[in-house]
Amino acid sequence: MEFKDRLQARMKALGLTAADIIKLTGVSKGTVSFWVNGKNGATGKNLLSLAKVLRCAPEWLTDGKNPPDVVAQTKANATMLGPISVWDDETPLDDDEVYVPFLKEVELSAGSGRTVIEKSSSRKLRFGKQTLRNQGVQFDQAVCVTVHGNSMEPVLPDGSTVGVDKSSTAVKDGKMYAIDHGGELRVKTLYRMPGGGLRFRSFNQDEHPDEEYTAQQLAESGISVLGKVFWYSVLL
């Protein structure tokens, strides 16, 4: 496959037209026509803008590396199930439901700025047991995390919620994980590096470039993998 083939396939998968590409990237009609017809490929800032619109890695468009299966959710571990509702302890469960708690950042002492990650004592979601079974997640190993900021846009906008399987902490390249970064909750796509290091990747790479940590830096920074994301939902 060439650049134009990957571009056309991705446009078809996302239901985008050439007019949509023009509007969302801000490039000219002639430029998009050249891309689609294979007269030339996108480069520089245009390539980054196009990749963002197509929800894929720039290198996939140019070289076919890092295919966008995670973003497209065609082969991803995370599944979009739709809007969600938050319940409290007084809301009765149905027979085939369980409560899944939220993780939150808790400041250790007033004004210290140091935080630890704990389960919320009140905020939780109701999940169908079958939903968790289908994902291979044990009920007592599921937790939820709220995504803050724009680093995972457009897939996970600010305020999105992800379900995390705490029993799955062995990193598989290209999968999304919840991370404890010295008391800060983060959600990133992870890649293994030689020597036990990790690369953190955001979907919004224009503003949030890759972060790389050696095994020593992971230990010194208090970074640990909390679990793999198996589900997500965008709050509307």
Side-chain angles (χ1 to χ4, degrees), residues 37-149:
N37 294 322
K39 291 185 178 180
N40 55 40
T43 59
K45 291 183 178 179
N46 284 345
L47 175 60
L48 296 178
S49 296
L50 180 61
K52 184 175 182 179
V53 169
L54 296 178
R55 304 180 188 180
C56 65
E59 58 266 29
W60 178 73
L61 287 171
T62 56
D63 304 314
K65 299 177 181 178
N66 295 325
D69 50 356
V70 173
V71 182
Q73 297 304 318
T74 56
K75 300 179 181 177
N77 53 295
T79 304
M80 176 62 176
L81 298 181
I84 57 177
S85 299
V86 179
W87 303 80
D88 59 30
D89 291 333
E90 298 178 358
T91 305
L93 288 172
D94 291 337
D95 292 340
D96 193 43
E97 290 183 323
V98 292
Y99 281 130
V100 174
F102 271 80
L103 297 181
K104 63 178 181 177
E105 298 172 16
V106 179
E107 191 167 342
L108 289 176
S109 60
S112 70
R114 295 181 59 198
T115 56
V116 294
I117 295 175
E118 298 179 353
K119 288 183 180 179
S120 172
S121 60
S122 58
R123 193 175 180 221
K124 58 190 71 175
L125 292 180
R126 304 200 309 182
F127 272 80
K129 293 179 181 178
Q130 189 60 48
T131 298
L132 297 178
R133 291 191 195 101
N134 290 343
Q135 298 296 325
V137 180
Q138 295 294 323
F139 306 157
D140 62 349
Q141 294 299 309
V143 293
C144 289
V145 172
T146 300
V147 177
H148 297 291

Side-chain angles (χ1 to χ4, degrees), residues 157-198:
D158 182 38
S160 302
T161 298
V162 299
V164 177
D165 180 5
K166 295 191 301 176
S167 69
S168 183
T169 58
V171 173
K172 295 182 179 179
D173 290 347
K175 302 299 183 182
M176 283 192 289
Y177 293 82
I179 303 155
D180 180 345
H181 192 153
E184 177 187 358
L185 273 171
R186 308 180 72 188
V187 175
K188 298 291 178 185
T189 301
L190 298 185
Y191 294 86
R192 293 170 296 170
M193 295 175 57
L198 289 175

